[in-house]
């Protein structure tokens, strides 16, 4: 499951926006290991949004998942990679107070020592908004 850097927590008290770094494969293809995120604290969460939350069993661990639907007890969250696990299928609905922020933007760090072609590809994909996936509820029904 993607872990996030602790930068996220330190900026929360000061600004409505913060930064985070993804670690792990559970949100592939939307997010990849090493991607950087711009998150908005206190944003309204809707089904399909990618969110930052505290892990229900390890609350010092921050994770990023897709909020699929509101259920009794909180948000049902899933990773975009169905083979990675570490989502509500393992720990159930996440209480709303553990959902900290909504992911607004993904950007990739500059690759080091890459070919000119790789740099051109990076330039075209460096910054992308993270949009809500409205098909999230159909993925839930398929599980």
């Amino acid at each position: 499951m993607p872990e996030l850097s602790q930068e996220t927590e330190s900026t929360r008290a000061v600004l409505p926006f913060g930064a985070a770094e993804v670690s792990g494969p559970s949100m592939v293809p939307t997010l990849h290991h090493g991607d950087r995120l711009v998150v908005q604290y206190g944003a309204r969460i809707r089904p399909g949004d990618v969110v930052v939350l505290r892990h229900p069993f390890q609350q010092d661990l921050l994770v990023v998942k897709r909020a699929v639907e509101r259920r009794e007890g909180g948000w049902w969250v899933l990773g975009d990679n169905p083979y990675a696990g570490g989502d509500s299928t393992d720990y159930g609905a996440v209480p709303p107070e553990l959902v900290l922020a909504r992911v607004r933007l993904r950007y990739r760090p500059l690759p080091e020592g890459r070919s000119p072609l790789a740099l051109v590809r990076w330039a075209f994909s460096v910054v992308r908004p993270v949009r809500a996936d409205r098909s999230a509820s159909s993925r839930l029904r398929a599980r």
Side-chain angles (χ1 to χ4, degrees):
M1 86 190 63
E3 284 184 27
L4 301 176
S5 69
Q6 293 305 315
E7 293 175 51
T8 306
E9 282 297 294
S10 62
T11 57
R12 181 179 182 197
V14 180
L15 300 171
F17 291 93
E21 181 177 347
V22 176
S23 158
S26 77
M27 287 300 291
V28 170
T30 307
L31 303 173
H32 296 272
H33 179 81
D35 283 352
R36 307 303 200 280
L37 306 175
V38 174
V39 300
Q40 182 182 9
Y41 298 105
R44 183 172 164 236
I45 307 298
R46 292 174 289 199
D49 288 342
V50 177
V51 297
V52 174
L53 57 115
R54 289 189 181 282
H55 191 284
F57 302 140
Q58 297 174 306
Q59 293 191 10
D60 59 333
L61 179 64
L62 300 177
V63 296
V64 60
K65 299 291 177 194
R66 189 170 301 276
V68 177
E69 69 180 14
R70 199 69 190 261
R71 290 188 174 184
E72 186 177 325
W75 282 99
W76 190 262
V77 296
L78 296 174
D80 285 357
N81 180 352
Y83 303 107
D87 54 25
S88 286
T89 57
D90 295 329
Y91 47 73
V94 177
E97 62 271 11
L98 296 182
V99 178
L100 304 176
R102 180 177 171 192
V103 176
R104 292 296 189 171
L105 188 71
R106 184 265 305 154
Y107 60 99
R108 294 195 169 135
L110 180 65
E112 296 180 26
R114 303 289 183 190
S115 70
L117 180 59
L119 291 174
V120 169
R121 286 182 184 154
W122 171 83
F124 283 106
S125 70
V126 66
V127 176
R128 293 230 170 123
V130 177
R131 292 192 167 87
D133 180 7
R134 299 297 174 205
S135 67
S137 61
S138 65
R139 281 198 315 268
L140 177 63
R141 285 191 297 270
R143 286 190 175 199

